[in-house]
Amino acid sequence: MPDRLSPLDASFLYMEQPTTGMHVGGVMTFLPPADGSEFDVDAFVRLVGSRLSLVPRYRQRVREVPGRLGLPVWVDDPDFDLSYHIRRSALPAPGTDDALRELVGRLLSRRLDRDRPLWEIYVVEGVSGGRFALVTKTHHAMVDGVASMDIGALLLDRTPQPREVPDDEWVPEREPSGIELAASAVMENLRRPRGALDAATRAAADLRAAVATVGRTMSGLAAATRGAAQASGPLDALNRPIGEQRRYSMARTSLAGHRAARRAHCGGGAGTVNDVVLAVVCGALRYWLMTRGEALHPDTTIRAMVPVSVRRRRDAGETSGGNRISAYFVDLPVGLDEPAARLQRVAEQMQARKRGAHDAAPTALVGLAGLMSPPLHSMGAKLTSRLSSRLFNVLVTNVPGPPRPLYAMGARLQDLFPVVPLAKGQAVGIGVTSYGGSVCYGLNADRDTMPDVDVLAEAMNSALAELLE
């Protein structure tokens, strides 16, 4: 049977439009090798090529099923070209962080080529202090946040000396014909009637289960819409029509500071470091809105969609990728002046979400995807993207990074800033990860709507300092 995309993975393909590239990734900066040698880019490319057997999806591309009789499938790319996917770039002297952010914004603006495996790595030389950077782009249909971190670790090493990997004698499998893809899709629909409600052979038990799924999903969507209507978020600042171009900004904060804030304000172990992250984002958004002259009242909130991984512990080492995520809605109380009160409000909401007291998944429409034909699935995914600005104001996702130092050909990884995509009407998306004692915030923003995204990024450290005071 073909390696078919899951309904959720396919949704990220269907959501992609000229203004909404659905790729995730990261910006990694590296210190020069400790032995004083120059980083050998050609050797690094060869190293990545030798390890592609550890990530088979990186040599596969998406193939549509004729007539859209089934969801797309992954097939081996017989013309795989490593030099296309790993590219070299350089900053003009003196290679400032501002110049790096500008370059990253331009790289993120371009969508990935659907006719090739859906990933790219840019090696950026000439960063100040003898550093270099790696900018990665991977389509969300391939990985979720946790899986992307695992794949990143596969390309790096725990020691300056690269580890040995088995010889790779990859030979692409024969690509199925259009007739074969169509026939396999029809057979799957007949064998699994829950995936196609119009299949004449569906069983009564499957039909009852499908109806129950629809009922739960629509109930969750209705609850989410009611909650969004009650929230008093400054929609004009964060939810506007967006274009194709992007800006990118970064902020490095202290992991020890986040832990200290949790100990100081979350008594009895009730709160988490992730709650502190959300409170920091809340404080930074409050300051950013004030610089724009937005009127804030004590009950003013910004609704955040917070994806959470449902990838089980034993799945953490898998390299097949794919998406295993759910999400919560959290109303960030930007109208509250007291930082500790903001953290307390966030922690209470997160506890309630985890207990299931308010189970309204933001991916509700996508939850219906398994019950739709591919054309309706595509329409539903695009509708979900359009409705996103009515359901939430900003995406905030936190993925724990590797706790130990990592290296690329002897060069130590200094910082790791994540990249998250934007949906329709979303001016900025905030990705967060921890590494080497730091909590790194990466902000992907629409170029025209968010010319002051650096102000929001710089406010992250100020918001954390407020909590520590």
Side-chain angles (χ1 to χ4, degrees):
M1 300 297 291
D3 186 4
R4 197 173 306 282
L5 276 71
S6 72
L8 181 55
D9 294 346
S11 295
F12 289 114
L13 282 180
Y14 297 145
M15 286 180 186
E16 188 166 64
Q17 298 177 54
T19 61
T20 54
M22 286 289 115
H23 44 262
V24 298
V27 180
M28 296 176 274
T29 60
F30 293 82
L31 299 171
D35 60 7
S37 62
E38 290 189 5
F39 182 74
D40 190 337
V41 178
D42 293 329
F44 177 73
V45 173
R46 292 193 296 270
L47 178 68
V48 173
S50 70
R51 294 180 176 179
L52 285 177
S53 60
L54 302 175
V55 196
R57 191 73 79 218
Y58 270 37
R59 287 188 288 212
Q60 294 181 319
R61 62 184 181 87
V62 172
R63 176 86 182 273
E64 294 283 351
V65 176
R68 289 202 171 185
L69 296 174
L71 295 177
V73 299
W74 295 107
V75 298
D76 286 351
D77 183 4
D79 302 314
F80 179 76
D81 179 5
L82 182 63
S83 63
Y84 173 85
H85 295 277
I86 303 181
R87 309 177 183 186
R88 299 180 66 164
S89 185
L91 299 179
T96 63
D97 287 348
D98 287 343
L100 176 61
R101 290 194 295 266
E102 177 69 18
L103 174 63
V104 172
R106 295 184 184 278
L107 296 179
L108 296 180
S109 300
R110 298 198 293 264
R111 289 179 292 164
L112 294 164
D113 186 351
R114 292 282 187 93
D115 293 328
R116 299 177 182 269
L118 297 174
W119 65 276
E120 295 172 356
I121 296 176
Y122 294 82
V123 183
V124 183
E125 301 173 89
V127 185
S128 61
R131 298 174 296 159
F132 69 94
L134 294 180
V135 181
T136 66
K137 293 168 59 178
T138 308
H139 203 285
H140 213 331
M142 289 177 63
V143 294
D144 57 26
V146 173
S148 67
M149 299 299 296
D150 291 339
I151 290 173
L154 288 173
L155 303 179
L156 304 174
D157 293 285
R158 295 184 178 181
T159 64
Q161 182 63 34
R163 68 192 185 279
E164 296 292 333
V165 296
D167 292 336
D168 180 20
E169 299 180 358
W170 178 73
V171 177
E173 293 188 4
R174 182 184 69 84
E175 184 173 346
S177 67
I179 294 177
E180 290 173 323
L181 290 176
S184 66
V186 171
M187 291 302 298
E188 284 187 33
N189 286 336
L190 292 176
R191 290 172 181 170
R192 292 189 296 178
R194 285 188 67 185
L197 291 180
D198 57 343
T201 58
R202 64 177 176 264
D206 286 330
L207 179 57
R208 288 195 297 270
V211 171
T213 299
V214 172
R216 289 194 302 269
T217 301
M218 296 309 295
S219 176
L221 181 61
T225 305
R226 288 195 301 271
Q230 294 169 1
S232 55
L235 302 183
D236 289 344
L238 289 169
N239 299 118
R240 296 179 179 178
I242 62 174
E244 298 183 31
Q245 304 306 312
R246 298 290 181 262
R247 296 181 190 270
Y248 188 75
S249 194
M250 304 174 284
R252 183 194 306 111
T253 63
S254 165
L255 177 58
H258 284 72
R259 289 172 173 168
R262 184 193 67 81
R263 290 192 300 267
H265 300 296
C266 300
T272 66
V273 170
N274 188 57
D275 297 341
V276 178
V277 166
L278 292 173
V280 167
V281 171
C282 178
L285 285 168
R286 172 183 168 84
Y287 173 79
W288 173 74
L289 289 168
M290 291 172 68
T291 65
R292 286 194 163 202
E294 295 282 349
L296 298 179
H297 306 284
D299 59 347
T300 302
T301 60
I302 286 178
R303 170 154 287 195
M305 188 181 82
V306 184
V308 293
S309 174
V310 294
R311 190 177 294 273
R312 296 168 297 183
R313 186 181 300 273
R314 62 176 176 270
D315 300 330
E318 289 187 1
T319 57
S320 58
N323 289 272
R324 300 183 186 182
I325 52 177
S326 184
Y328 300 136
F329 284 134
V330 179
D331 294 327
L332 303 179
V334 294
L336 296 181
D337 182 62
E338 174 56 44
R342 295 196 293 264
L343 174 54
Q344 186 66 29
R345 184 77 61 84
V346 167
E348 290 172 354
Q349 291 185 71
M350 288 300 290
Q351 279 192 306
R353 302 302 184 270
K354 293 171 185 176
R355 290 195 302 264
H358 182 67
D359 186 15
T363 52
L365 284 181
V366 178
L368 293 174
L371 308 177
M372 297 179 179
S373 65
L376 291 178
H377 186 169
S378 175
M379 294 172 58
K382 292 175 182 178
L383 177 60
T384 299
S385 182
R386 292 193 189 99
L387 287 176
S388 63
S389 60
R390 299 188 180 186
L391 297 177
F392 64 95
N393 308 123
V394 64
L395 171 71
V396 184
T397 178
N398 180 18
V399 177
R404 304 179 185 87
L406 295 176
Y407 300 84
M409 298 287 295
R412 179 169 175 166
L413 177 62
Q414 181 186 33
D415 290 312
L416 173 56
F417 299 95
V419 173
V420 297
L422 300 183
K424 284 278 189 180
Q426 302 291 337
V428 63
I430 302 174
V432 189
T433 193
S434 55
Y435 170 73
S438 298
V439 176
C440 300
Y441 292 76
L443 286 74
N444 186 24
D446 178 65
R447 185 173 186 85
D448 297 325
T449 304
M450 290 282 291
D452 53 352
V453 65
D454 287 343
V455 175
L456 178 57
E458 292 167 1
M460 299 295 176
N461 273 291
S462 300
L464 178 58
E466 279 187 325
L467 284 169
L468 295 176
E469 289 174 0

